[in-house]
Amino acid sequence: MKYFEIKVAGLKKEEKLYTFLKQNGFSEHYLKQLRNIKDAIKVNDKTENINVVINNDDIIQIASNPFKATEIELINKPLDIVYEDDYFLLVNKPPMLATMPSRSHYKNNLAGMVCNYMKDKDENYTLRVFNRLDREACGLILISKNAVVHQKVKDIEKEYYAICHGTIKEEITVKEPILTIVNNGINEMKRVCSPLGQSAETTFIPIKNFNNKTLLKVKIFKGRTHQIRLHASHISHPLIGDKLYGIPDDYSHTYLCLKKISFHFDITKQDYSFEINLSPEFENVLKNS
């Protein structure tokens, strides 16, 4: 069993471990799992339970991943790893690859590739992604290596790039709620803008105009499924290649890329920021302008 270690400090009086962990951002779900696993909690190298009383300078060790391993089809394909350390795996997902398995993408998805990569590093690895991308989109996906890490990442900011039809000269912010249509208990793939939907906000910032197209920097708030694609279509500037919300064109997939991701990590008390280049496909469209 792998452990995450904490040295207790800052207590004004002795305190139960449960209260200490709860105040330090650990979820009830995580703490419940600790209760159910033998030797999941140690204080000063002695096995304890979640209600043990702790003091300053105590050394706490808690299971870093007290959950069942993710059981999905392993896919032996290489990952495009942008960054890796003991806490994170940051990968660049290519277009036309599903992030998670589904009936139609059971044997070809990023999740299966990540679990295959991690199987020799942690036999009990549980997959946790901080963000997902549509199958057609490309770009950065941040993945935690254990359950503790997943609870200690804060203030994630994402910056997308996209190419849309038409010319946009000035920054546009769209604040249209997004509604998922449900038929017979099953979500339809296509979403709609509706006052009955969930709040969503998207800002489109033009970077370059060319050939009746615009390269956009895009920032989202209250991220929803298909938010950027739907909001772009809503302002009559659908993304090129978007077969669901767009117009007929010669592009094989939606041109949308998560180019930059930033976040704060409570464990190291550091801010992280990563950015990738646009894919060759993006660059080819821009070069041929």
Side-chain angles (χ1 to χ4, degrees):
M1 186 181 302
K2 293 186 176 181
Y3 291 93
F4 177 74
E5 189 171 288
I6 306 170
K7 184 176 181 179
V8 181
L11 295 184
K12 294 182 179 179
K13 60 180 181 179
E14 63 182 24
E15 193 170 88
K16 286 186 177 181
L17 176 59
Y18 170 85
T19 304
F20 175 78
L21 293 176
K22 191 76 173 175
Q23 291 175 344
N24 279 274
F26 290 87
S27 69
E28 188 63 39
H29 183 49
Y30 177 84
L31 299 179
K32 181 179 179 181
Q33 292 300 116
L34 290 180
R35 292 188 183 98
N36 296 332
I37 297 177
K38 183 181 178 181
D39 297 329
I41 301 169
K42 294 183 179 181
V43 178
N44 301 326
D45 291 324
K46 180 183 177 183
T47 298
E48 298 285 2
N49 63 53
I50 197 72
N51 291 313
V52 64
V53 173
I54 58 172
N55 294 279
N56 287 325
D57 297 324
D58 283 346
I59 302 298
I60 300 169
Q61 291 177 298
I62 50 177
S64 59
N65 192 29
F67 298 89
K68 291 183 179 179
T70 299
E71 296 180 355
I72 59 175
E73 181 88 7
L74 300 181
I75 300 170
N76 187 19
K77 292 182 179 180
L79 294 168
D80 183 359
I81 298 175
V82 176
Y83 176 80
E84 182 179 11
D85 60 18
D86 292 339
Y87 306 112
F88 306 106
L89 185 64
L90 183 68
V91 300
N92 181 10
K93 185 188 86 67
M96 306 308 292
L97 177 69
T99 301
M100 304 300 291
S102 65
R103 281 183 292 181
S104 55
H105 307 297
Y106 185 70
K107 292 184 178 293
N108 188 31
N109 56 80
L110 185 72
M113 295 163 62
V114 171
C115 286
N116 182 71
Y117 177 80
M118 288 296 299
K119 70 179 187 297
D120 295 329
K121 301 175 184 290
D122 184 354
E123 62 183 13
N124 193 46
Y125 178 69
T126 305
L127 177 68
R128 289 177 177 82
V129 297
F130 289 98
N131 63 297
R132 299 186 186 188
L133 292 173
D134 292 348
R135 174 174 173 267
E136 295 189 13
C138 62
L140 295 169
I141 293 186
L142 182 64
I143 302 152
S144 59
K145 286 193 169 182
N146 62 59
V148 175
V149 168
H150 202 74
Q151 299 179 81
K152 294 297 182 180
V153 169
K154 311 294 182 185
D155 304 324
I156 296 177
E157 294 185 3
K158 295 172 286 186
E159 190 174 280
Y160 297 81
Y161 273 60
I163 300 176
C164 73
H165 287 285
T167 299
I168 297 178
K169 292 289 189 180
E170 297 180 347
E171 180 177 312
I172 300 173
T173 295
V174 182
K175 298 181 180 180
E176 291 292 331
I178 294 175
L179 179 66
T180 301
I181 304 299
V182 180
N183 279 323
N184 298 320
I186 299 175
N187 291 351
E188 288 191 1
M189 179 177 291
K190 192 172 184 178
R191 273 61 175 173
V192 296
C193 290
S194 166
L196 300 177
Q198 294 179 302
S199 61
E201 181 178 335
T202 309
T203 296
F204 298 98
I205 305 167
I207 302 298
K208 178 182 180 181
N209 300 126
F210 63 99
N211 293 349
N212 197 31
K213 301 179 183 67
T214 304
L215 174 65
L216 298 165
K217 180 190 297 185
V218 187
K219 296 184 178 181
I220 64 172
F221 308 89
K222 298 282 187 182
R224 310 296 181 192
T225 299
H226 296 177
Q227 177 173 326
I228 294 173
R229 297 164 62 187
L230 177 56
H231 278 176
S233 179
H234 181 77
I235 59 173
S236 300
H237 290 284
L239 304 190
I240 65 172
D242 190 343
K243 305 300 187 289
L244 193 59
Y245 301 99
I247 58 178
D249 59 30
D250 295 329
Y251 299 97
S252 62
H253 62 82
T254 306
Y255 275 63
L256 176 64
C257 175
L258 177 51
K259 192 174 186 296
K260 182 178 180 180
I261 190 166
S262 305
F263 57 91
H264 177 77
F265 188 36
D266 278 349
I267 292 176
T268 61
K269 307 300 182 186
Q270 292 181 339
D271 294 322
Y272 292 76
S273 185
F274 301 94
E275 186 170 4
I276 56 173
N277 295 324
L278 289 173
S279 70
E281 288 178 302
F282 266 79
E283 294 294 350
N284 284 338
V285 173
L286 296 173
K287 285 179 183 178
N288 294 326
S289 62

